[in-house]
Amino acid sequence: MTTETFQFQTEVQQLLELMIHSLYSHKDIFLRELVSNASDATDRLRFEALTKPELLTDGAKLEIRLEVDKDTRTLAIHDNGIGMSKKELVENIGTIAKSGTRELAEKMKKAKAADKSADAGELIGQFGVGFYSSFMVANKVELVTRRAGQKIATKWVSDGKGDYQIDRAEREAHGTSITLHLDPVDEESGLEDFTDEHVLSRIIGRYSDFIAYPIVLRGGPGEDGADGEDKTLNSMKPIWERAASDVTEEEYSEFYKHISHDWRDPLERVLQRAEGTIEYKALLFIPSEAPFDLYYVGHESGLRLYVKRVSIMERCEELLPRYLRFVQGVVDSADLPLNVSREILQHDRQIRQIRKGLQKKILDTLQKMKADDEEKYLKFWTPFGAALKEGVIEDFEHRDKIVELLLFPSSRETEKLTSLADYVERMGEAQDAIYYMTGESRDMIESSPHLEAFRDKGVEVLFLTDAVDEMLMQSLTEYKDKKLQSAGKGTVDLGTDEEKEVQKKELDEKAKTFEALLKRIKTSLADRVKEVRLSSRLTSSPACLVGGEEDVSPRVEKWLRQQQGDAPAQKRILELNPEHPIVTGLKAKFDVHETTEAVSEYSELLYGYSLLAEGSDIPDPADFAKRFAALMQRGLG
Ligand code: ADP
C-alpha cells in the first residue's frame, strides 16, 4: 500500500488551527485527553472480550505506557486496548462525526474572531475532540493502531496543517501508540518539558490518578547504561471507593471530565452508597452546562456501569429515566454478573431498583439545592429545566416532586423566575386559576393583546417559551386544586364573584346590541373563525383571536402543519373589544346601513391584525398589505 493523503474535514481544520495557535496556558491537558482515550479503548476491549475472549492477547497486562526520548524530543502513549481499523481511524480522527458540527464551526469562528484562547479549550471538551489537543504541544503526531481481532495495523501521520497521511504499518499486538514530536520547551506559554519524568508524574497525578489501568513510565537507561525501572504513576484507586473526605474537589472534577468529556467543572456532585438488599455505589455529577445536543433526538446519554470496580458499559441508559439524561457519573454494583448484556439490563430487577434509588437521590438533591441555594439552583435550571419538564409528562410516580422543582418567568417580574408554589401564594382571593400564556419568546407574549385585562387587573401570568411547555401544559392541568388556564383560551373573567357578575351582565347586554354585526362578521370570515364574540380580555386592542378550551395553541398548530403540510387549519374565536373606537365606529356604520361594504373589509383587517398582534403568520400577507394600503389612502382622502 502506498501512502494515502486525506484532507481534514473543514471543521477539524479550523479546530486544529485554533489548537496550534492557542495561547491557552494549560497545555498539559493534552495528556489527560490521550490517557482518557487510551483508558476508554481498554475498557472497550475488555467489554468486547466478555463475549469474544479470543480478543485478549494471552498474558498481556492491560496498561497504558508512556515512553520518552529526550534526544528526539518525543513522547509516546501506548495502550493495548481495542485499537482502530483503518476505516475507524479515518472516521474517528480526521472528522467530527457528531451532529453538531455546524454549531461547532460557528463557535470556532466566533472564538477566532474574538481571539479568545480560553474558548479553544472550552471547545475541546464541549465537543469531545480531545485527541486534537495534542497539536497544542506537538508539531507532528504519529499514530499506529491495530484493531483487536485484526492482523493489519495502520499508521496515521499529520502536522495538523490541512491534511494527514495514512499507511499500512506493523504492530505487534492490538492497541494504539501515539507519538508526539514535541514543540520546544517554552514554560511561559505552558510548554513544559513533557519528556521529564517529574513533569509527567505530576500531570498524571493531577489529572489521571483514578484511571483504572496502570499508567507506566518506561524508565530510560541509567547513567551507567543500566536498564531503567518502570514506574507506575497513578494509584488506580476508584474515586467512588475512597472516603469523600480524602478526595479533593479537583480530583472529583478531573474524574468528572474524564467520564463526561466535558471541559468545565461540574455544578454538583452526588454520592450514594446503598447497602442492604441491593448493594451499589454511585458517584453522579450535574454538569454546569448542557452539551450542545442535549435536546436533539440523537443525544447519547447514560451512566458508566461498573461491576465490582470493573467497567462494563460506557453508557448505560437503563440506569436513569430519559429526562435525567443530563446527569453524568458512574454506578458500581456488587450484584450484577460481569457479562451482563443490554437485553438483560433492560429487564433486570436490580437495575430497576438502582434506577429508582438514583432517581430519588437526584430529585432530592435538586429539591435541597432549590431550598438552600437559589443562585445555584438557577444555574442548574437554566440549561436543564426543560429536561425536567419532560419528567412531569413522563414520570407519574415522581410527578408531584418534579412539579415543585419547576420555575417559570412571569408577568410579575422581568428578571426573576417563580415556582408554582410562590405563584399560588401571591394569588388574590378572588383568583381561582393559575394563568399562563405560551409563545415563542417573552417579548412576543408580553406584547400580545390577550394579556391586557390581566395587566389591568394586576393578575399574574406565567410566560411559557420552552418548546416542551405546550406538552407540559397539556399534561399539567392542575396544581394544588387550582386549574392551570391559558390566557389565550376560553373566556376570561377576573375579579371577585360580584365583579364577575356585573361584568357578565354588562357584556351580555352589549352582546345583544352587537348581535347582528357579530353575525355579519362571522359570515364574512366563516372559513377561518368558528365564532365572533365580544371580549372581556381586551382593554386597548380592538380584537384578538382566542382558542376554545380544547383547542391547541397557534404554536402547536404551526408545528403540526410543518410536519404534515395538509393538517386542517384550526378555527379559532375572534373576540372584539366593544369599547374600542374601531369596533364602535364599525357598529355605528353598520347600524345605519346594514349592507355596508365596510364590514367585510374590516373583518379581513381585524382578522389579519389579530394574527399579527399575537405574532402569528398571516396566510396571505400580500392581500393584507393591499387592504392596509387602501385603508391608509382613504384615511388621507
Ligand atoms: P472523544 O474521545 O471525545 O470521542 P477524540 O477526538 O479524542 O474524541 O477521539 C475520537 C475517537 O477516536 C474516540 O471516540 C475513539 O473512538 C477514537 N480513539 C481515540 N483514541 C483512541 C485510542 N487510543 N484507541 C482507540 N480509539 C481511539
Side-chain angles (χ1 to χ4, degrees):
M1 187 176 93
T2 47
T3 308
E4 289 179 82
T5 300
F6 293 81
Q7 293 291 316
F8 282 115
Q9 187 192 22
T10 320
E11 286 78 14
V12 177
Q13 280 188 33
Q14 287 172 326
L15 184 77
L16 282 170
E17 209 176 304
L18 266 183
M19 289 300 133
I20 293 170
H21 301 291
S22 170
L23 300 174
Y24 188 68
S25 56
H26 298 291
K27 293 196 166 66
D28 58 0
I29 59 89
F30 82 92
L31 191 57
R32 170 185 83 191
E33 300 295 317
L34 295 182
V35 164
S36 180
N37 281 349
S39 161
D40 287 350
T42 314
D43 280 348
R44 250 169 250 164
L45 172 74
R46 212 171 37 191
F47 187 55
E48 274 193 32
L50 290 176
T51 47
K52 293 183 225 160
E54 68 276 11
L55 290 184
L56 283 171
T57 331
D58 282 344
K61 197 173 151 208
L62 294 175
E63 61 180 13
I64 299 163
R65 299 185 75 89
L66 307 183
E67 192 182 359
V68 296
D69 185 330
K70 285 190 178 289
D71 297 333
T72 54
R73 287 203 46 72
T74 54
L75 164 65
I77 296 104
H78 308 279
D79 68 64
N80 48 1
I82 193 78
M84 284 176 272
S85 66
K86 181 181 161 191
K87 185 166 172 280
E88 287 170 327
L89 182 58
V90 173
E91 272 168 13
N92 291 337
I93 312 254
T95 53
I96 301 170
K98 295 186 180 149
S99 49
T101 10
R102 238 191 36 223
E103 273 160 79
L104 171 62
E106 275 304 304
K107 290 205 175 180
M108 281 193 293
K109 252 188 249 153
K110 272 190 210 144
K112 204 176 161 198
D115 196 23
K116 281 194 271 176
S117 50
D119 284 0
E122 286 260 312
L123 292 167
I124 305 173
Q126 208 177 340
F127 290 90
V129 286
F131 169 78
Y132 303 110
S133 63
S134 1
F135 287 96
M136 291 200 298
V137 299
N139 46 58
K140 184 170 141 191
V141 178
E142 285 174 288
L143 183 153
V144 176
T145 184
R146 182 174 148 192
R147 180 73 166 77
Q150 295 185 359
K151 294 222 154 49
I152 309 163
T154 318
K155 181 174 169 177
W156 179 104
V157 185
S158 179
D159 60 4
K161 296 191 181 120
D163 53 28
Y164 59 91
Q165 284 80 44
I166 286 201
D167 249 321
R168 185 173 286 193
E170 296 290 324
R171 198 177 194 282
E172 233 172 76
H174 55 79
T176 303
S177 296
I178 297 173
T179 307
L180 309 179
H181 295 259
L182 295 165
D183 287 331
V185 174
D186 175 2
E187 305 242 335
E188 229 163 78
S189 60
L191 286 165
E192 297 172 80
D193 185 359
F194 300 120
T195 62
D196 184 290
E197 180 189 326
H198 302 288
V199 172
L200 293 175
S201 178
R202 198 195 68 231
I203 299 173
I204 295 295
R206 174 160 182 201
Y207 297 125
S208 314
D209 187 63
F210 51 81
I211 293 289
Y213 307 98
I215 303 168
V216 178
L217 179 64
R218 179 175 285 175
E223 305 229 315
D224 53 359
D227 276 355
E229 292 272 304
D230 282 0
K231 191 172 166 191
T232 300
L233 305 182
N234 59 326
S235 77
M236 288 177 277
K237 258 204 180 145
I239 201 160
W240 59 91
E241 293 284 354
R242 294 165 58 190
S245 52
D246 285 349
V247 185
T248 65
E249 278 310 317
E250 197 189 355
E251 282 178 296
Y252 276 127
S253 223
E254 289 305 334
F255 179 72
Y256 162 76
K257 289 172 190 172
H258 167 63
I259 56 163
S260 67
H261 296 233
D262 187 3
W263 178 268
R264 294 155 290 225
D265 291 332
L267 180 72
E268 181 76 323
R269 169 166 45 83
V270 182
L271 209 59
Q272 192 180 31
R273 296 205 158 118
E275 272 149 20
T277 48
I278 171 133
E279 224 176 279
Y280 66 89
K281 291 184 179 138
L283 172 57
L284 308 180
F285 299 91
I286 297 172
S288 54
E289 261 169 87
F292 68 93
D293 62 348
L294 185 71
Y295 295 103
Y296 289 72
V297 179
H299 176 74
E300 288 182 3
S301 61
L303 302 177
R304 283 201 186 202
L305 179 62
Y306 289 72
V307 174
K308 297 194 198 74
R309 303 176 177 202
V310 174
S311 158
I312 65 157
M313 200 172 287
E314 225 175 311
R315 293 186 181 286
C316 182
E317 287 184 341
E318 286 75 17
L319 287 169
L320 284 176
R322 181 95 186 125
Y323 72 91
L324 293 178
R325 62 186 173 279
F326 52 85
V327 176
Q328 301 275 358
V330 303
V331 174
D332 192 345
S333 152
D335 304 321
L336 287 167
L338 264 175
N339 57 349
V340 69
S341 71
R342 275 204 191 273
E343 290 67 47
I344 293 178
L345 285 181
Q346 275 164 11
H347 307 288
D348 190 87
R349 202 178 54 87
Q350 301 189 42
I351 291 284
R352 257 194 317 235
Q353 271 179 301
I354 299 178
R355 174 181 162 124
K356 221 173 160 172
L358 297 178
Q359 210 168 339
K360 181 173 183 312
K361 180 79 183 176
I362 294 165
L363 293 176
D364 287 349
T365 303
L366 291 173
Q367 203 167 31
K368 190 163 176 332
M369 194 196 290
K370 182 166 176 285
D372 297 349
D373 191 342
E374 210 178 316
E375 204 178 314
K376 189 168 180 184
Y377 187 72
L378 212 59
K379 277 193 192 149
F380 156 77
W381 178 261
T382 307
F384 302 119
L388 267 198
K389 288 176 183 173
E390 295 168 22
V392 177
I393 303 164
E394 291 162 13
D395 184 353
F396 290 105
E397 198 187 332
H398 298 97
R399 175 180 239 242
D400 292 346
K401 227 175 193 167
I402 308 171
V403 167
E404 294 300 340
L405 293 170
L406 301 181
L407 292 180
F408 300 99
S410 93
S411 57
R412 183 169 149 268
E413 266 184 279
T414 5
E415 299 297 331
K416 277 186 99 169
L417 302 177
T418 180
S419 64
L420 289 174
D422 287 346
Y423 179 105
V424 169
E425 185 87 354
R426 285 190 297 270
M427 273 169 66
E429 284 213 356
Q431 188 182 339
D432 45 20
I434 299 169
Y435 291 101
Y436 67 88
M437 183 86 188
T438 58
E440 308 259 333
S441 68
R442 184 186 176 106
D443 278 356
M444 230 148 128
I445 298 175
E446 265 191 321
S447 54
S448 108
H450 301 92
L451 299 187
E452 286 172 4
F454 293 89
R455 205 168 290 136
D456 209 46
K457 300 228 159 70
V459 174
E460 183 173 358
V461 178
L462 302 174
F463 295 158
L464 275 60
T465 55
D466 278 336
V468 63
D469 284 337
E470 300 279 359
M471 291 255 287
L472 175 70
M473 285 315 179
Q474 278 179 25
S475 152
L476 183 67
T477 51
E478 252 187 44
Y479 172 77
K480 286 192 184 155
D481 295 334
K482 304 270 189 275
K483 225 177 120 197
L484 276 110
Q485 155 111 41
S486 164
K489 277 186 194 170
T491 46
V492 160
D493 46 351
L494 304 169
T496 61
D497 285 349
E498 271 162 55
E499 285 167 339
K500 280 183 199 164
E501 209 166 296
V502 175
Q503 280 162 22
K504 186 165 181 324
K505 218 164 138 204
E506 273 179 19
L507 205 65
D508 283 350
E509 266 160 31
K510 259 192 212 128
K512 271 183 218 142
T513 67
F514 272 86
E515 201 180 337
L517 174 65
L518 297 180
K519 231 178 174 165
R520 204 23 238 296
I521 297 176
K522 164 84 200 293
T523 313
S524 236
L525 298 173
D527 55 336
R528 282 156 289 167
V529 303
K530 62 178 172 193
E531 189 186 337
V532 181
R533 69 184 181 206
L534 295 184
S535 179
S536 55
R537 76 181 87 216
L538 298 173
T539 58
S540 52
S541 295
C544 70
L545 283 161
V546 304
E549 296 280 0
E550 302 305 321
D551 291 346
V552 300
S553 76
R555 202 171 171 214
V556 171
E557 195 185 356
K558 197 168 151 187
W559 287 338
L560 288 176
R561 291 238 236 148
Q562 275 165 359
Q563 267 155 31
Q564 29 181 308
D566 54 352
Q570 176 179 259
K571 287 186 186 176
R572 286 195 286 157
I573 301 161
L574 180 69
E575 282 196 353
L576 300 180
N577 176 358
E579 313 295 335
H580 197 281
I582 295 181
V583 178
T584 51
L586 186 63
K587 179 171 182 298
K589 230 172 175 168
F590 178 77
D591 285 349
V592 176
H593 187 40
E594 283 213 3
T595 55
T596 179
E597 277 282 303
V599 178
S600 49
E601 186 62 19
Y602 272 74
S603 301
E604 292 297 333
L605 284 163
L606 285 168
Y607 180 72
Y609 163 88
S610 303
L611 285 172
L612 286 177
E614 69 179 19
S616 293
D617 298 332
I618 36 180
D620 190 349
D623 178 68
F624 183 79
K626 224 180 269 166
R627 289 177 199 275
F628 187 57
L631 183 71
M632 287 199 287
Q633 208 169 349
R634 278 204 298 280
L636 293 171

